[in-house]
C-alpha cells in the first residue's frame, strides 16, 4: 500500500544516507553490506489503511503529472453526462456566443488583477474525461463564486462559448457545485397526482405549497382523468432545495 510505503519513506532515506556516509568513510566492506541491509519488512513497514481514493489520485497528479489508478471524475461521469450540454471536445463545434453547460475538474487556475479597476478574476483549465478547455471568470462572477473556483474543484460551468484568436474558451456566467447540479440545473419539475375523488382539493393544497417556494423552475402537474392523463403547466415557477 502506498500509504504504508510513504510512512517509512523518511526512515528509508535516513538509512540510505547513513549507508552512503559509512561507505565513503570506508567503514563498510563488500562482505558486511548484506548484513547492514537486512530489514524486517513486517516491523519496518506499518500496516495502516490506504489513503482515500481522492487523496491517492491527488498525489499521483502532483508527483507524476498524470493519474494512474483512476480519475477524480469517474464517480461523477453519469452526472456530468446528464447535465452537460457538451463535453470539452463537442463544445468546439459550437457557434460563437452559444450557451453551454459543461462539467469537469478545475485542473489549473490562474488569478489575475484587472487593469484600472484592480479587481480579481480567474482563468481556469477545465478538464473532463475527453479533453480540456480554458474558462474565464470575470470579476463579477469570481466575486460571487470564488469559494468554488479552486484548483481540484469538480464543478459545472455555465457560460458562453467564445474564441479569442484561435483559442477556444468559455466565458463563465455561473459556477455550480457538482453535488448541487440535480437542483440547480434541472430544466423542469413534474408532480404526478394520480386520479380519484378529492383531486380539486389536492390541487388547491399543492398550489398553496408551491406559492411558498417561488423560483425559476417551470412546474408541470400531471393528473389522470377518465379520458387519460392531463398535463397542467403552472404559471408559478418553483425553487427546489
Amino acid at each position: 500500500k502506498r500509504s504504508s510505503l510513504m510512512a517509512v519513506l523518511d526512515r528509508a532515506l535516513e538509512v540510505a544516507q547513513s549507508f552512503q556516509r559509512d561507505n565513503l568513510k570506508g567503514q563498510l566492506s563488500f562482505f558486511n553490506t548484506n548484513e547492514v541491509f537486512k530489514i524486517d519488512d513486517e516491523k519496518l513497514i506499518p500496516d495502516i489503511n490506504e489513503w482515500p481514493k481522492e487523496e491517492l489520485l491527488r498525489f499521483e497528479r502532483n508527483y507524476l503529472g498524470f493519474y494512474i489508478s483512476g480519475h477524480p471524475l469517474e464517480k461523477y461521469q453519469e452526472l456530468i453526462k446528464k447535465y452537460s450540454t457538451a463535453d470539452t471536445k463537442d463544445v468546439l463545434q459550437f457557434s460563437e456566443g452559444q450557451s453551454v453547460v459543461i462539467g469537469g475538474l478545475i485542473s489549473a487556475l490562474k488569478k489575475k488583477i484587472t487593469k484600472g479597476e484592480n479587481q480579481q478574476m480567474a482563468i481556469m483549465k477545465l478538464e473532463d474525461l475527453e479533453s480540456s478547455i480554458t474558462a474565464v471568470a470575470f470579476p463579477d462572477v469570481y466575486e460571487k463564486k470564488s469559494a468554488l473556483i479552486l484548483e481540484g474543484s469538480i464543478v459545472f460551468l455555465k457560460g458562453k462559448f467564445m474564441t479569442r484568436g484561435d483559442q477556444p474558451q468559455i466565458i463563465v456566467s455561473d459556477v455550480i457545485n457538482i453535488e448541487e447540479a440535480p437542483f440547480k440545473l434541472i430544466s423542469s419539475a413534474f408532480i404526478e397526482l394520480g386520479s380519484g375523488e378529492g383531486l380539486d382539493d389536492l390541487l388547491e393544497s399543492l398550489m398553496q405549497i408551491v406559492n411558498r417556494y417561488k423560483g425559476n423552475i417551470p412546474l408541470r402537474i400531471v393528473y389522470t382523468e377518465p379520458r387519460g392523463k392531463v398535463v397542467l403547466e403552472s404559471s408559478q415557477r418553483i425553487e427546489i432545495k
Side-chain angles (χ1 to χ4, degrees), residues 1-52:
K1 292 183 287 190
R2 273 175 274 186
S3 58
S4 299
L5 294 175
M6 287 297 291
V8 298
L9 179 60
D10 290 342
R11 176 58 183 153
L13 290 173
E14 288 176 10
V15 171
Q17 289 170 354
S18 176
F19 170 76
Q20 186 178 29
R21 285 194 300 269
D22 292 343
N23 191 37
L24 290 172
K25 292 177 182 178
Q27 295 179 8
L28 295 177
S29 71
F30 174 79
F31 297 102
N32 65 8
T33 301
N34 289 336
E35 292 298 320
V36 173
F37 278 90
K38 275 188 176 178
I39 296 175
D40 187 340
D41 288 352
E42 292 184 0
K43 291 182 179 179
L44 179 64
I45 301 177
D47 184 16
I48 59 178
N49 292 331
E50 181 60 287
W51 290 321

Side-chain angles (χ1 to χ4, degrees), residues 45 52 54 59 69 79 88 94 97 104 132-133 139 201 208 217 237:
I45 301 177
E54 291 79 6
F59 267 90
S69 54
L79 193 64
T88 52
F94 277 30
S132 62
I133 191 169
D201 293 337
Q208 290 175 0
I217 300 172
R237 293 175 172 239

Side-chain angles (χ1 to χ4, degrees), residues 145-161:
K145 299 294 181 176
S146 58
L148 293 174
I149 302 176
L150 302 170
E151 189 168 340
S153 290
I154 300 176
V155 296
F156 279 94
L157 300 182
K158 292 179 70 174
K160 293 185 182 298
F161 174 76

Side-chain angles (χ1 to χ4, degrees), residues 53 57 60-61 67-76 104-105 127-131 154:
K53 185 67 175 289
L57 292 172
E60 290 175 356
R61 183 63 181 254
Y67 301 110
I68 297 175
S69 54
H71 194 287
L73 294 178
E74 285 176 351
K75 65 184 289 188
Y76 298 109
L105 168 75
E127 174 184 325
D128 61 14
L129 294 174
E130 296 296 330
S131 186
I154 300 176

